[in-house]
Amino acid sequence: MIRARTASPRTARAINDRIALELLVERGPLTAARLRDLTGLSRPSVADLLGRLGRDGLVAVVGEAGEERRGPNARLYGLVGDRAHVAALDVRTHGVSLVLADLAGQIVGRAAHPVPAGARAEAREAVNGVLGTLEHTMRTAGVPAVHTAVLGAPGLADPATGALLPVTSLPGWHGDLLTALRRRLAAPVLLENEVNLAGLAEHRAGAVRDRDTFVLLWLGHGTGAAVVLDGALRRGASGGAGELGFLPVPGTGGLPSATDCDGGFHTLAASAAVCALARRHGLPAADADDATAAEEAVRAAGAADAGPSAAFLDELADRVAVGTAGVVAVLDPGCVVLGGEVGRAGGAALAGRVERRLRTLSPLVTEVRAATVTGSPVLSGALATALDTARRELFGTER
């Protein structure tokens, strides 16, 4: 005979506390009356809940609901942001950008540390420079310690060990920085692939807030993909899910190898290939392997969208559709987001072309959208991940 089990009073209180905290994160400060409406709890239960959270340093009175109202129900209760702080870092070949935020998600510090090309081989100099910038930003913002940090970087993030797997095309200081941060901060420092973080940012606040299954296709200095299925990020057995640069595709004149993605989809759609394609159509584009140059060429073509510009976008869409068709055939995500510098710059002009071309390559109906998160989507995704991690621990049922 199966005996029915119910939550103990302690567990029930912890669950209610977490629900209330998550409501304060989502909606901002609330009155006790509004918390009763949203949770369905009684007046005494909400009063006890707010008392517990106040004693834990997680909630405090932050104002009143209206000037004409007085009494405990008019008080606004909000999350205590200073209860903890998090850091997010976007690591690139040319430097690092970072932000600091409090537990409520308020940005309290922002900085960038460039790494000159000639200094990239000097791992110690690069790492010390980033650490110095982070510590200066913390002091300036009055942040004594970081609860959680998330570092987004190109390359393979091993899900089993949390290490950055070495890739010959990336600066050696990336891995050294991860080790140094973990030692210096004395706090959890989580590593995630940059494209995965961009995908999470688009899901949280961008082009696919209405989708739980999608693929973000990154088109920038390199190519890659973030795979989100049923609301969960899928990294693969070794963290390599979405390494589309190595996808063998027609039109490259060769095949990729285990150590070099030339000959794969990278050769068709990475920034150097996009710039070369633009020049072939008579459009201005820097003769450099530079994502910014490719972004500018695509944005200008999208604004014109006629003559050589339209022809350039047509051919670029054909290339992108080839790689997208491989993803669609395996995963059937129903929606693909074009991200990275090139994908976002292409906007609806490029996304619409890729979607139409894809219809001729696959029987699976797939919507193609342009990414919409502004600024650094990698940094946005890293910050959201850091906040989620800190809140899970501090809001957990075993407090």
Side-chain angles (χ1 to χ4, degrees):
M1 178 179 177
I2 298 176
R3 297 180 59 186
R5 296 182 180 179
T6 59
S8 67
R10 178 182 178 184
T11 301
R13 286 194 298 268
I15 292 171
N16 290 335
D17 288 357
R18 178 159 187 159
I19 290 171
L21 288 164
E22 289 174 347
L23 284 169
L24 292 173
V25 168
E26 178 185 345
R27 297 172 181 255
L30 298 169
T31 64
R34 186 60 179 146
L35 277 171
R36 291 199 304 270
D37 292 340
L38 292 170
T39 61
L41 296 172
S42 66
R43 182 189 296 266
S45 294
V46 169
D48 289 344
L49 175 153
L50 290 171
R52 286 193 301 273
L53 296 180
R55 289 190 294 274
D56 287 345
L58 289 168
V59 169
V61 176
V62 296
E64 292 185 351
E67 293 181 359
E68 75 286 354
R69 300 180 61 187
R70 293 294 183 268
N73 287 346
R75 294 174 182 168
L76 280 171
Y77 295 88
L79 199 63
V80 177
D82 287 343
R83 179 68 169 75
H85 292 86
V86 300
L89 299 94
D90 178 8
V91 180
R92 301 289 176 141
T93 58
H94 50 74
V96 176
S97 56
L98 63 93
V99 295
L100 299 172
D102 65 20
L103 191 62
Q106 182 70 34
I107 302 295
V108 298
R110 189 185 299 270
H113 180 80
V115 177
R120 288 177 191 167
E122 299 294 334
R124 181 177 299 178
E125 179 181 347
V127 169
N128 287 341
V130 174
L131 292 178
T133 298
L134 174 60
E135 290 170 351
H136 174 75
T137 307
M138 290 174 63
R139 286 194 302 272
T140 302
V143 175
V146 169
H147 180 283
T148 303
V150 173
L151 185 150
L156 298 178
D158 190 330
T161 65
L164 183 65
L165 300 180
V167 178
T168 55
S169 61
L170 297 176
W173 60 266
H174 283 191
D176 295 339
L177 175 62
L178 178 63
T179 301
L181 281 169
R182 286 173 172 162
R183 184 170 55 246
R184 185 72 64 90
L185 291 178
V189 179
L190 310 180
L191 172 69
E192 186 58 84
N193 174 266
E194 58 172 353
V195 179
N196 286 343
L197 291 174
L200 293 176
E202 292 294 337
H203 192 210
R204 181 68 60 89
V208 277
R209 284 174 288 181
D210 60 333
R211 293 273 192 165
D212 280 338
T213 294
F214 68 93
V215 168
L216 178 131
L217 183 64
W218 183 272
L219 303 170
H221 176 76
T223 59
V227 179
V228 176
L229 304 178
D230 299 324
L233 178 66
R234 308 297 181 178
R235 300 176 178 84
S238 62
E243 284 294 323
L244 283 189
F246 289 88
L247 181 69
V249 292
T252 65
L255 289 172
S257 70
T259 58
D260 191 348
C261 57
D262 284 345
F265 182 59
H266 174 92
T267 302
L268 282 185
S271 59
V274 173
C275 288
L277 181 63
R279 292 193 298 272
R280 189 157 61 78
H281 282 274
L283 304 177
D287 185 10
D289 185 3
D290 181 67
T292 301
E295 176 185 4
E296 292 171 352
V298 171
R299 180 172 287 112
D305 203 4
S309 293
F312 161 64
L313 290 175
D314 287 342
E315 188 168 350
L316 177 58
D318 286 347
R319 294 183 175 194
V320 174
V322 167
T324 305
V327 173
V328 168
V330 174
L331 298 176
D332 186 19
C335 183
V336 171
V337 179
L338 302 185
E341 294 87 352
V342 169
R344 188 168 59 183
L350 180 60
R353 281 172 164 85
V354 173
E355 182 174 318
R356 290 190 293 273
R357 183 70 177 98
L358 198 56
R359 290 187 198 132
T360 70
L361 298 176
S362 172
L364 305 176
V365 177
T366 306
E367 183 181 5
V368 180
R369 305 176 182 179
T372 60
V373 172
T374 58
S376 168
V378 177
L379 208 52
S380 297
L383 180 57
T385 302
L387 286 169
D388 286 349
T389 302
R391 288 167 180 165
R392 273 197 303 271
E393 180 178 326
L394 295 171
F395 298 178
T397 55
E398 295 300 326
R399 289 189 293 103

